[in-house]
Each structure stands twice: as C-alpha cells, then as structure tokens.
DNA sequence: GAGCACAAGATAGTCAACGATTTCGTTGGC
DNA sequence: GCCAACGAAATCGTTGACTATCTTGTGCTC
C-alpha cells in the first residue's frame, strides 16, 4: 500500500492522483491483481472519486490497469506470453530509434553513449546486476532521446511501464548480464559508427536474445 | 457535425459516446482542430457531461483528441512531421507482424492474402484509387491478424486512427498507387513463401517509400 | 443435502449543481 | 487613441448524491 499521499493541495486533483498511482504501480508498490477501489483510493489520496475515476480511465488505456464494468479496477497482470509480445514490439521500435539515432546524434552525445557502455561493462565485471539494470535503462532512454522520434518514444515509455514486474526477473538471472552486455556494446558501437543498418540489426539481435530468455 | 446520436439504448453511456466520437473523428466527420465542448456533446448524445468527459479523457490518451486545462478539447491535428513519425512506427511494427505472419499463417490464410493481392492489382489497373485504398487497409489488417501479435495489433490500430486525414491525400496522388502496389505485392509474396526475413525487408522498403512520399 | 430464489451489501456508473479558471469585451484613465 | 483594470460569459474542474449492476450470503424448496 502506498503512503497516504502528499499535500493534496489545490493542485489539479486528477493529475496528482494519476502521477502517484502510475508511479506506485510502475514501481511495483502495488501487488499485481490488487484491487483498486475508487472509494478507497479517493480517501487515500484525499480527492474525490471522480478524480480517481478519471485517472483510472487513463491508466487503463495505458495498459497499467484493468477495469471491468461494475466490478472495479485492478492492477493488470502481464502474462509471460504478453511480456514477450511487448518485448517484441519494444525492440521493433527501439531498432527504429537506434537507426535514427545513428544518423542524428552529434559527437558529444556519442561520447555519452560510449561512457555508458564502459560503465555497464564495469558493473557486469563487478557483479552488480542492479547497477547494470539501471544503466541499461539509462542507455535505452538515451537512445530514444537521441533518435528524436517522439512518437516511438511515447510508445516505448508506455510499453516499458507494463514490464516492471518482469524486468527484475531477467536482470538477476545468472549469465544473462554477460550475454546482453555484449549485444548492447555492439549496438553502441554501431550507433557510434553512424551506421543505421548495423544499429538496427544489433537491436534486432538483442530482440531475439531477450525473447528467448523470456521463454525460459 | 455528426448526427444526433442513435438509440441511446441501454448500452452504457460512456461506451456509446466513446464509440460514436471515435468513429466521427476517425472518419473525418469532424473538422481538424474543431472544438469539442463537453456541454454541447452531452446534449447531442443525450448523456451527461461526466460521460462525455470520460470519453474525452480516453480519446486523449489515444491521441485523437487534445485537451487543455480549463480551455476545452479539440480534435487533434497531426502535422506532416508527426504523420511521418507515426508512419515510421507503423512500419516498424508492421514489419514485425509481417515476419510473424510469415511463420504462423496456414495455407488457407495465405490464399486469402493472394486473393487480396490480385484484387488490388485489378483496382489499380481499373484506376479506382478508393477501392485500392480500402483493399489496402484490409490487407494490412489481415496481416496484423495473421501475426497473432495482439500488442502490436493494438498499437497499430491506435496509430492508424491518427492518420485518417493524411491517408486520402496519399491514395489520390497520381502514380502513387502503382509504386505502392508493387511493394505490397512483394510483401504478400514474401509472406506466402513463409520467409520472415524477406517479409520484414519488404515492409521496411515500403516504409521508406511511404515516408518519402509524405515528405512531398 | 443440493439447488434455486431472493435479499443485502459493495461498487462502479450516472447525474445535477456548485466552484474555479480562462477569455474576451468594455470602460476608464492617461 | 492606446493601454490597463475590471467584469461578464463561457467552459472546464470538482463535489456529493442517486442509481444500476454485480457479488455474496441466506433461507426455502425439493
């Protein structure tokens, strides 16, 4: 259960609830399939039901929440099959971003990518999967930003939000970081070489590797 | 302006408004940037503002409607740049679907695709761009369905809905159908040959061709 | 004891009214 | 004649109450 909200100030209620709820779900503070009763949330956040309702409708179309008529809302559980499907879409879009990033990025930005790459290598060598996971997240975010592809960016953010529960699982699997690291370094190299086709191919290779891993 | 709603049957108000509004916008019955006043819509559809509001919130996160605090909603105008970005994403995802469809489709389904291909050829030969456009839409929908990729399907539907206004423009351009036809026939052939890589490549080729055309 | 009908509780859906914010026209001063 | 302050109109944001629907538990019948 999330803490009892914040200031509940005059700030727009829906926006606030939306943000807090999204964060709570995204960070796994709420159990999967947990029931989200409008009345309860309204009291917790100190707003009216209408605001909670609006937030839930929005979260539903973001895929974070599931709503059943007259029955209530709950945190959506993403099955493994679905996680695979989502990952496939993610990678298709990230390949697009990588290709664009390879073309549009300037030298400074490329240097930043390289720095991230070495940091990731170190994290793996030091056996720190959580640091690695965090850096990895940063890398993907950075590539998205470099691409300048706003639409893809928005879609990816949405898709990623649905995967929280599955992300940890993968990062902590022994041997997994080593493999994904090399794939990611290849991706970074391709972008640095400003080679969009290679970047795309590298992202694709990473796709198959990831979905295979998800299959267990 | 859309007609005065339908039966207003026992169907849930929000669902009804949502459907009608979405259709009205998707089919271009509402001018771009047209103001959508909650009160007016409520009266037109014979429901209360709350229901309209809920529908508008949902449409906003689908990207069909733009809402500004205390200022109202309006039909979102998609700039050409944005249309290009959307098309890029569409194609990345459709390439994924095509590749999967090439693997999973059965003989009967492949025959259906082939039939669509010949119908499209005929439409172009007969100089009927609207029929061609419609068939084309069917083709893409079919491929999506064959892929069995639910997530990609949902994303694509959403992206397509945002492009209505730009679609006609392209279909009616002289010479355009001929080019896109050959690309699409290649795509169909690749899927029929159950060759995922070629299918993906064909979809990609179509991507560049389409975005180039959008650039004018 | 099993199954069905009914009633009670919980919860989302809908509604009408009130309050806040923005926009735009009007008036007064300079 | 132009600009600023004021005020009215329009519109969204919020609220509390009411209603419809679903779930669950209970008692009655067979």
């Amino acid at each position: 259960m999330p803490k009892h909200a914040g200031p509940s100030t005059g700030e727009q209620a829906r926006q606030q609830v939306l943000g807090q709820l999204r964060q709570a779900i995204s960070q796994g503070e709420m159990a999967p399939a947990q029931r989200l009763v409008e009345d309860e949330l309204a009291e917790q956040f100190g707003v009216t039901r209408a605001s909670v309702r609006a937030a839930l409708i929005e979260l539903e179309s973001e895929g974070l929440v599931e709503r059943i008529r007259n029955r209530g809302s709950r945190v959506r559980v993403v099955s493994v099959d679905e996680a695979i499907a989502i990952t496939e879409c993610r990678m298709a879009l990230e390949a697009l971003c990588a290709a664009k990033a390879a073309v549009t990025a300037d030298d400074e930005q490329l240097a930043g990518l390289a720095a991230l790459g070495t940091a990731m290598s170190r994290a793996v060598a030091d056996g720190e999967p959580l640091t690695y996971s965090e850096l990895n997240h940063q890398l993907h975010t950075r590539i998205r930003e470099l691409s300048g592809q706003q639409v893809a960016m928005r879609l990816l953010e949405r898709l990623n939000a649905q995967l929280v529960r599955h992300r940890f699982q993968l990062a902590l699997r022994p041997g997994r970081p080593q493999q994904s690291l090399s794939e990611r370094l290849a991706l970074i190299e391709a972008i640095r070489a400003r080679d969009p086709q290679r970047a795309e191919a590298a992202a694709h290779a990473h796709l198959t590797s990831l979905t295979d891993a998800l299959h267990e």
Side-chain angles (χ1 to χ4, degrees), chain A:
Chain A
M1 276 280 176
K3 41 271 170 190
H4 181 287
S8 178
T9 166
E11 188 188 357
Q12 237 42 249
R14 173 176 138 242
Q15 292 288 333
Q16 193 190 334
V17 178
L18 184 66
Q20 295 205 347
L21 255 184
R22 188 175 2 227
Q23 187 173 347
I25 297 177
S26 285
Q27 304 199 342
E29 292 175 26
M30 293 183 135
Q34 170 167 351
R35 290 196 61 186
L36 299 172
V37 180
E38 295 183 358
D39 264 327
E40 290 176 9
L41 294 176
E43 195 177 357
Q44 274 181 34
F45 290 119
V47 297
T48 52
R49 241 189 54 197
S51 307
V52 173
R53 217 177 135 65
L56 286 176
I57 290 175
E58 194 155 347
L59 288 174
E60 180 188 25
S61 71
E62 283 180 29
L64 285 155
V65 161
E66 187 179 27
R67 279 158 48 84
I68 309 172
R69 270 192 34 140
N70 292 316
R71 297 248 282 121
S73 314
R74 59 182 61 204
V75 179
R76 209 165 82 93
V77 221
V78 179
S79 69
V80 176
D81 281 349
E82 215 172 344
I84 293 174
I86 291 175
T87 304
E88 286 175 350
C89 291
R90 256 189 64 193
M91 282 301 171
L93 291 170
E94 290 198 359
L96 172 68
C97 285
K100 298 212 77 164
V103 175
T104 62
D106 62 33
D107 291 333
E108 189 183 351
Q109 294 168 328
L110 291 182
L113 281 190
L116 261 177
T118 57
M120 288 171 77
S121 302
R122 188 162 38 233
V124 170
D126 294 355
E128 295 183 8
L130 278 99
T131 310
Y132 175 65
S133 179
E134 169 59 24
L135 286 171
N136 173 32
H137 190 67
Q138 275 184 37
L139 171 66
H140 287 257
T141 306
R142 192 77 69 88
I143 292 178
R144 279 198 291 254
E145 287 170 359
L146 291 186
S147 74
Q149 234 287 19
Q150 299 288 329
V151 180
M153 214 170 116
R154 254 193 25 233
L155 290 179
L156 281 169
E157 273 163 14
R158 218 172 252 204
L159 288 176
N160 269 319
Q162 297 178 37
L163 285 180
V164 257
R165 197 149 301 278
H166 292 270
R167 194 154 39 188
F168 306 111
Q169 232 169 311
L170 267 183
L172 296 175
R173 194 126 104 227
R176 178 79 203 131
Q178 281 75 20
Q179 173 169 9
S180 72
L181 174 62
S182 70
E183 291 165 0
R184 283 183 180 127
L185 289 178
L187 174 60
I188 292 177
E189 267 319 300
I191 295 178
R192 287 185 66 198
R194 301 192 196 280
D195 184 340
Q197 294 196 340
R198 216 171 84 209
E200 200 175 327
H204 258 75
H206 194 41
L207 153 83
T208 36
S209 156
L210 247 185
T211 49
D212 286 354
L214 275 173
H215 271 119
E216 249 114 326

